[in-house]
Every structure is written in C-alpha cells, then in structure tokens.
Amino acid sequence: NNNNNNNNNNNDIYKPMAKSRRQTIMSTSSEQTQKVTNKTSSKVPGQVYCEDDDDDDNNSVDTMKWALRTSFISVAKSLSPPEGNVTIVYTDVQGSTLLWESCPSAMKKAQDIHDTIMRQCYSNHKGYEISTEGDSFNVAFQHPVDALAFALQAQIKLYKADWPQEILNHPDGKEEPYLKFKGLRVRFGINHGPTTNQIHRITGRMIYAGEGVKIAKAMEGLCHGGQILCTIETWKAVGGLAERYLGRPQVMDCGEHVLFDANRTRYSRRIMQIVPNELAFDFFEARGQAEDGTVKDASLVRGRLFPPLPSKKQLSTCFLNAPYMNGRVVICFVHTVGLGDEDGSENRIHNLLKLAKNVRKLLLRSDPPGYECQEDNGCWMLAFGSVDKAVLFGVQLMESIREGGAKEHLLGDVDCQNMYKIGIVSGPFTSMGPHKTSGLADYFGPIVNRAARVASSCEPGQLCIGIPLANGARIAPPNFGPSIQVRLLGIRQLKGVSVDVAVYGCGKCI
C-alpha cells in the first residue's frame, strides 16, 4: 500500500503541464531573449520542458517518465558506435558531492532532469553513450560538429530546465541572471582524434582508449561549471560547418596549456572555449569607447564569464590577456619585407615559421606579455597595454634579426638589416571581442587602420610610432628612456586617415 501511495504522489508531482511555446535550440543573435511564454500560471519543480524539431506547440515532458522510459533509453543505447577518428566527450556536474549532501531528495530529481537532457541531446546528434558514472557521462561521436552541437544544445536546455527550488538555493545551482547560470552547472571536455576500441566484457558497450581519450578527460578536468572546452584541433576539424550547424556560437581562445592524464603523462594543447550564442557575454558591447569618448559600461551586458583555466602552466597568451582597460589599446603592425623569396617557396615557408616563433617568444618576454591578434603570411597585428612596451618589443625584434641568434636559422638570401616595417599607434578603440573563427581578440575602430597605415608608410628596417594630431595640434616627441632614440620623420597625411599624423622613427641608441 505504501508503494502504491508513493507512486500516486510521484504521478501528481510529475503531472504534465499545458502546452508551452517552442524554445529555440540555437539562437542566431546574442540579443535574442531567453524568455518562454507558458500558458500556465506556474511550473512544477522537477519537470523538464523539451522541444521537438517542428514549429508546433509541444506538450511538456514528464521528467521521471523520460528518465525511466524504456523506449527512450533503448533509442539512446541503440545508436551505433563510431570508429577510427572519434570525438570523445566527458561531462561532469560542478559541486555534485555537496549538492547530494545538502539536498539529496532535490538532487535525485535534479539528476533525473540532467540525465534526461543529456540523453535527449546526444541522441539528437548521433552520440554513443560509452558509460556513466554518477552524474558524469562519457559519450563518443563520429564527427566533432555533432559533439559540439550536443554540448551547446545541452547547455541551453540545462539553463532553461525547471530545477527544484532546493537546487536553486544552493551556491552550485543558484540562478545568476547576469551570468546566465541556473541549476546544475555541467562541464564538457571534448577532443577529436584517433582512438582504439574494444567491447567491454561486462557491459557489452564499445569502450575507447588512446591519447585522444586521455586528453578529453584532462580537458573536462580544466572546465568550470557551465563551460565547454575543446582542443584547437577539434575546432579546426569542424571547419566551416560551425556557422551553418552550430548556431554561430561564441568561440574564445584560451591559450596553450599543459595537461596531465591520470598517469601524470604530460601533454600540451591549445584550448578553445565554446559558448551558445544566446548564453554568451557580448564583449563587443561591453568593451571599448562610445563615439562621445565615454567608456562602455560592462555591467549592462549579461552572459557567461569564466575565470582563467586552472591548469598547471599556461604556455601562451589567451583572449583574457588581451588589453582593453578604459577602452584604450596600443596596436602594432609588423610587416615582413626582408625575405625576398616567392610566396610558397620552401625557403620562405621555413623562414616564416622561424620568424613567427621568434615573434611569439619576444611577446611572452614582455611584462605583461604582448598579445597576438592575428598573423597572415608574415604580417602580424599585435596589441599592448602601453606604448613603451610596444616600442621596446619592436626594438628587440629588429635587433634579434640583425644581431641576435634568430638570423642564424633563416635560409636563402634574406635582408636581416631591413627585415621588418613596424608601425605603432596608441588610442581608444570602438569595440573588441573574440573573432568568430579564431577566438582571438579582434579590435575595431580608427586605431586599427591608423596603425596599419603607419606601418605601410615606413621604410624597410624602420620602427615608427604615429601620433594623430587632432585640429592641427602639435605635441612634444615621446620619450622612451635613454636606451631608445626618437626623431620626427614628418607630419603625414595617411590614406584613409582623416587627421594628420606625426610619425616618429624609433631605434636603439648606439
């Protein structure tokens, strides 16, 4: 009798509600609202509102029925295992141990919601469930675009799910509207690569092994709750499919990090953060200066922000290292002009790789490090927090090729004395944020064109700093200390620049 009473109570708790409007899986605009219009006055705690692929109104789905429904689980379990180059996904719930300790009854309902969403989403994208351990899932996909689609869809559904109030009262599940967190915060570590596989003798499921599996697990270990991380190789394998199939997610470069697997084997990988468009923090709206010169108010922008990754060592700069304070930046363009080889020649390819390594080494030596925004065939766009750091970098770069060891690694007929043309401009920027493909910091505003024009106006072997002269003003020449000599090269009208620019040549004092 007690069992019958319990079952009846459960049926009341998980009673399906009236129809609700379809929730969009992937938004194509960061300004799209996450509100869902329901025809009921309230929601029942512990219930998931699932969406189908059509545009009709859909009945909400009872969490417990989905979690225990034989037909649903059988569909998830019947998907064919991928082979060869496989994308491995590991997930875990942040703070689940404390949640189980604090509110076990609510956590049981929350895990039913979580498991339902995870199985529904990976089934939608041809995922193969390898195993589960507590609230952790290990899933395999044949193609990384399916794995990322699963993770992105799951994050949105988890955010929009109707969590028990006890979960929302806990620090690891509370609603934070400005950061767009609500309910269980799930970590996703994703890696694509070659694997080996075999059938597990007890479960009968395909299991995978190899470096790719270990890296995926290590990636999940670096995640914060609500975050999706993948290796840059995984992101590159997606290629041009991202915008078409993933709803234009926000991509952010997290830099290269040292990773360790369970056996303390050391790896290094460049890591990318992927955020669903409708949950992403719009850096372009939050950083920079408005036309009237006022600094943008970042507190008005909502979206997910995460701290730096807690790795043992970061080997390169990441988006979070890009300068932006007070809406100002120093942009530096470096044009390689001294190689003399035809594009595509073996010597040029070799030399460009050596020059790139040297540029990045010197950027990291700066304190704080200089930031590489982009590179194209020996042309770099760099960002610094101060003019003196940018000038010092430029002088050191010139000297490393003229007198340092870097020139010894170059092949063929190269002009080490006149290898670069370097242009530097400091000033406000209009906006900045992660590039939609590379995830690197992308700056917008007149300062970018001005720095590029200053670099183009240089003679080979010159390092120039440009100072815009508003309304014909005159200024004193900059002073970078006794080791750097500065001389005025002229007041120039540069192409596409609306004001005169004072161009100064800078170099090492002899």
Side-chain angles (χ1 to χ4, degrees):
N1 291 334
N2 290 337
N3 290 337
N4 291 334
N5 291 335
N6 289 337
N7 289 337
N8 291 334
N9 291 336
N10 285 335
N11 288 336
D12 290 337
I13 292 174
Y14 293 97
K15 183 178 180 181
M17 299 179 64
K19 291 183 179 181
S20 60
R21 293 297 299 170
R22 176 179 182 268
Q23 300 178 19
T24 303
I25 298 294
M26 300 301 300
S27 169
T28 57
S29 170
S30 60
E31 297 177 356
Q32 185 171 350
T33 180
Q34 283 78 51
K35 294 181 180 179
V36 179
T37 304
N38 292 309
K39 297 182 181 179
T40 56
S41 59
S42 61
K43 294 181 179 179
V44 177
Q47 183 169 304
V48 179
Y49 295 85
C50 299
E51 307 107 20
D52 294 331
D53 292 333
D54 54 41
D55 292 326
D56 298 328
D57 287 354
N58 302 304
N59 288 328
S60 57
V61 181
D62 181 303
T63 300
M64 181 169 287
K65 286 182 179 178
W66 268 103
L68 303 179
R69 188 166 156 183
T70 304
S71 61
F72 180 76
I73 294 180
S74 65
V75 169
K77 297 284 188 179
S78 67
L79 294 169
S80 300
E83 297 180 349
N85 287 343
V86 173
T87 307
I88 300 295
V89 181
Y90 279 96
T91 77
D92 196 22
V93 176
Q94 174 182 292
S96 59
T97 302
L98 291 177
L99 284 163
W100 278 108
E101 287 286 338
S102 302
C103 42
S105 296
M107 192 56 184
K108 176 60 175 69
K109 298 176 184 177
Q111 181 155 342
D112 287 344
I113 296 173
H114 165 271
D115 291 357
T116 297
I117 290 173
M118 299 296 277
R119 288 197 168 101
Q120 181 190 11
C121 291
Y122 79 63
S123 298
N124 288 346
H125 302 287
K126 303 177 182 178
Y128 177 81
E129 183 178 316
I130 303 169
S131 63
T132 60
E133 182 178 349
D135 50 52
S136 302
F137 274 73
N138 181 201
V139 188
F141 297 81
Q142 192 66 68
H143 197 283
V145 74
D146 293 318
L148 288 170
F150 152 64
L152 290 164
Q153 186 185 39
Q155 289 289 14
I156 294 174
K157 283 179 172 287
L158 289 164
Y159 175 67
K160 293 181 177 181
D162 191 19
W163 300 101
Q165 188 59 48
E166 295 92 331
I167 299 298
L168 298 178
N169 292 338
H170 193 278
D172 284 312
K174 67 178 181 179
E175 182 172 8
E176 298 185 58
Y178 280 94
L179 293 175
K180 295 188 177 179
F181 287 123
K182 189 184 73 170
L184 299 187
R185 302 182 185 183
V186 181
R187 304 186 285 256
F188 288 77
I190 304 173
N191 184 57
H192 177 75
T195 61
T196 59
N197 58 70
Q198 61 179 351
I199 299 297
H200 193 282
R201 62 185 181 85
I202 297 176
T203 66
R205 305 291 292 168
M206 185 74 76
I207 58 174
Y208 297 85
E211 182 179 291
V213 177
K214 296 175 182 178
I215 291 174
K217 182 60 178 175
M219 298 277 291
E220 181 270 315
L222 287 183
C223 279
H224 301 284
Q227 190 175 37
I228 302 170
L229 297 180
C230 69
T231 56
I232 192 169
E233 292 81 9
T234 303
W235 177 245
K236 287 181 176 179
V238 172
L241 299 175
E243 188 163 348
R244 181 176 179 182
Y245 294 106
L246 299 181
R248 295 192 295 179
Q250 182 189 75
V251 183
M252 182 186 296
D253 172 58
C254 296
E256 184 177 356
H257 292 260
V258 173
L259 307 174
F260 293 94
D261 65 17
N263 297 321
R264 303 300 297 167
T265 303
R266 184 183 188 273
Y267 306 95
S268 64
R269 291 292 186 276
R270 196 169 192 95
I271 298 174
M272 309 297 284
Q273 172 186 291
I274 316 296
V275 182
N277 186 288
E278 64 180 271
L279 301 182
F281 181 86
D282 191 344
F283 289 94
F284 293 102
E285 286 295 319
R287 294 182 176 181
Q289 292 189 12
E291 292 184 2
D292 61 1
T294 58
V295 179
K296 293 179 179 179
D297 187 356
S299 67
L300 301 177
V301 181
R302 300 188 178 194
R304 292 195 173 178
L305 290 171
F306 300 96
L309 301 185
S311 67
K312 295 295 183 181
K313 188 174 183 180
Q314 183 176 326
L315 302 177
S316 71
T317 56
C318 68
F319 175 83
L320 297 179
N321 301 128
Y324 70 93
M325 294 300 295
N326 300 316
R328 298 183 64 86
V329 70
V330 180
I331 297 294
C332 171
F333 274 89
V334 178
H335 293 169
T336 303
V337 295
L339 292 182
D341 297 304
E342 294 182 1
D343 289 347
S345 69
E346 291 185 6
N347 280 355
R348 183 177 180 84
I349 294 172
H350 168 89
N351 290 338
L352 285 176
L353 290 174
K354 295 298 180 182
L355 293 178
K357 183 178 180 180
N358 186 51
V359 166
R360 288 160 188 155
K361 179 180 69 175
L362 293 176
L363 284 173
L364 290 175
R365 285 183 180 177
S366 182
D367 186 21
Y371 184 84
E372 180 182 350
C373 301
Q374 60 187 39
E375 185 272 332
D376 181 27
N377 196 30
C379 177
W380 284 269
M381 175 180 164
L382 312 173
F384 295 84
S386 64
V387 179
D388 58 337
K389 297 295 184 183
V391 171
L392 180 60
F393 163 81
V395 170
Q396 291 175 341
L397 181 62
M398 293 286 198
E399 294 303 309
S400 69
I401 296 298
R402 292 170 179 168
E403 302 175 5
K407 66 179 181 180
E408 298 177 1
H409 301 286
L410 302 180
L411 303 178
D413 184 17
V414 298
D415 186 353
C416 291
Q417 291 300 312
N418 301 301
M419 181 62 69
Y420 298 115
K421 295 165 48 171
I422 302 177
I424 299 171
V425 174
S426 174
F429 61 90
T430 304
S431 64
M432 69 86 73
H435 187 275
K436 66 178 182 179
T437 301
S438 70
L440 298 169
D442 204 7
Y443 292 86
F444 291 89
I447 186 174
V448 178
N449 179 59
R450 291 173 180 180
R453 295 302 181 185
V454 170
S456 297
S457 71
C458 293
E459 296 295 328
Q462 277 188 335
L463 164 61
C464 297
I465 177 172
I467 302 179
L469 303 174
N471 301 320
R474 294 292 184 267
I475 61 172
N479 184 359
F480 301 114
S483 63
I484 306 294
Q485 63 178 358
V486 181
R487 63 187 180 92
L488 179 64
L489 299 178
I491 308 298
R492 298 176 180 174
Q493 293 182 333
L494 302 177
K495 183 178 180 180
V497 179
S498 60
V499 298
D500 292 341
V501 179
V503 179
Y504 294 86
C506 304
K508 181 180 179 181
C509 288
I510 301 176

